[in-house]
Amino acid sequence: MTAGFVPEFGKALQSFVNRAVDAVVTGYGDRLDGLGAWLTAPVRWVETGLLLVPVPAFILVVAAGAWLASRRIGFVLAMAALPAALSGLGVWNEAMQSLALVVVAVLFVVLLGLPLGVAAARLPRLGRALTPLYDLMQTIPSFVYLIPVAMVLGLGRAPALVATLIYALPPFARLTELGLRGVDAGVVEASRALGLRPRQEFWLVELPLARPTILQGLNQAIMMALAMVVVASMIGAKGLGEIVLLGLQRADPGLGFVGGLAIVLLAVLLDRMAQAVLGAPPPSEAERP
C-alpha cells in the first residue's frame, strides 16, 4: 500500500511491459528484423549519397541554394561557411551521418503528418482524439520509449529513426491541421461556386493558403529531429551525437565541445536554409538580377 490507501501497481505494470516486449520479440523476431532493415535502408542510401559528394561540391550546392532563395551575398557566404567549418572541425563524415538520419526522419514525418493533419482538420473529433496523443509524444521523455524500441528493433539506425519520428511528428501534424482550419471559409465557398471539385479545391485553394503554417511546422520538425541526434547515439546511431557521447564517456571536454559545436553549426545551417528555401517568398522583379 502507498500512502495507506492506494494499492501499488508499479511492479505489476513493469512486469506487464516486460512480458509484452518479450512476447513481441519472441513471436515476431523475423518480421521485426525485416522492419528494422526496411527502416535502415533509406538512411544508408542517403548517407552513402552524401558521403560521395566532395566537400567543395557540397559547399557550392549550399551556396547556390542560398543565393536562389535569398539573393543576398552575405547570407550566401554565411551558409557556405557553415559546412566549411564542419569540414574544418574534422567531423564531416559524422555530420553527413546525422544529416542523413534527419533527412529521412523528416521525410517520414511529412508522409505521416500531412495525412494526419488533413484528416484532423476535416474531422474535428479525430483532432480532439489526437491531441492527447500528441501531448504524450512531446512530453514523455525519449528514454521511456527508447528502451522498448531498442529491444524490439535492436541497436542502430532503426530505433533512432523511430524515436526521432515520435518526437518530430506532433508539431508538423498539429500545424498542418491548424493551417488548414485557418483557411478563410469565404475563399473556399468562392472556389466551390466556381465549380472546383473537392480534390481541386484542396490542392489549388486550401493547401496553398495553409502553406506558410505547414512550412513552419516542417521547420520545427527539422529542428526537433536534429535535437534527437545526441539521444540517438545512445542506442547505436552513428553521427555527431556519438562524438558528444564519447566525450562524456572518456571525460574529454574538448571532444564533447567539438561534437556540440558541430551540432550547433549543422542546426543553424538546416534552420536558416529551411527558412530561406521553404518559407521565403520568391524574389520580386526588382530583386531579380
Side-chain angles (χ1 to χ4, degrees):
M1 301 290 286
T2 302
F5 61 94
V6 179
E8 284 191 9
F9 58 90
K11 295 292 185 181
L13 180 60
Q14 175 185 344
S15 178
F16 171 78
V17 172
N18 288 337
R19 288 197 304 269
V21 172
D22 290 341
V24 171
V25 173
T26 303
Y28 304 94
D30 294 338
R31 296 181 183 180
L32 291 174
D33 290 341
L35 176 61
W38 182 81
L39 291 171
T40 301
V43 182
R44 289 184 181 275
W45 296 337
V46 174
E47 179 183 316
T48 302
L50 289 173
L51 290 174
L52 287 175
V53 178
V55 176
F58 188 94
I59 294 174
L60 287 176
V61 170
V62 170
W67 172 255
L68 292 174
S70 68
R71 297 292 199 272
R72 292 184 284 115
I73 189 64
F75 181 74
V76 173
L77 294 176
M79 293 299 99
L82 292 172
L86 288 172
S87 178
L89 288 172
V91 295
W92 183 258
N93 289 349
E94 291 82 359
M96 294 302 100
Q97 290 169 343
S98 294
L99 181 59
L101 180 62
V102 170
V103 168
V104 176
V106 171
L107 177 61
F108 276 103
V109 164
V110 173
L111 292 176
L112 293 175
L114 189 61
L116 281 175
V118 172
R122 293 284 189 272
L123 304 170
R125 289 185 179 179
L126 177 62
R128 289 191 295 270
L130 288 174
T131 295
L133 178 61
Y134 292 153
D135 291 339
L136 183 65
M137 292 168 68
Q138 286 190 287
T139 57
I140 188 173
S142 56
F143 293 103
V144 174
Y145 52 79
L146 271 180
I147 297 173
V149 169
M151 291 184 64
V152 169
L153 296 177
L155 299 179
R157 296 178 178 87
L161 182 61
V162 172
T164 305
L165 177 62
I166 292 173
Y167 191 61
L169 176 64
F172 179 75
R174 276 178 155 160
L175 285 173
T176 298
E177 177 187 354
L178 179 64
L180 291 172
R181 284 186 175 178
V183 173
D184 189 348
V187 176
V188 176
E189 291 295 332
S191 67
R192 292 174 182 170
L194 292 173
L196 292 183
R197 296 179 179 178
R199 183 174 300 178
Q200 294 173 318
E201 171 193 311
F202 173 75
W203 288 106
L204 299 178
V205 179
E206 295 183 71
L207 201 58
L209 290 176
R211 176 178 176 270
T213 306
I214 295 175
L215 292 181
Q216 183 182 2
L218 180 59
N219 187 57
Q220 287 193 19
I222 293 172
M223 292 297 99
M224 297 186 78
L226 188 58
M228 289 292 292
V229 165
V230 176
V231 176
S233 68
M234 298 180 181
I235 52 175
K238 302 293 184 180
L240 294 174
E242 187 179 22
I243 298 177
V244 177
L245 184 62
L246 286 174
L248 290 171
Q249 292 174 342
R250 299 175 182 176
D252 187 341
L255 182 62
F257 181 80
V258 168
L261 178 60
I263 292 174
V264 171
L265 294 175
L266 184 60
V268 173
L269 175 64
L270 291 176
D271 181 51
R272 296 297 183 267
M273 287 298 295
Q275 289 184 14
V277 174
L278 300 176
S284 62
E285 292 297 328
E287 295 173 331
R288 296 181 187 275

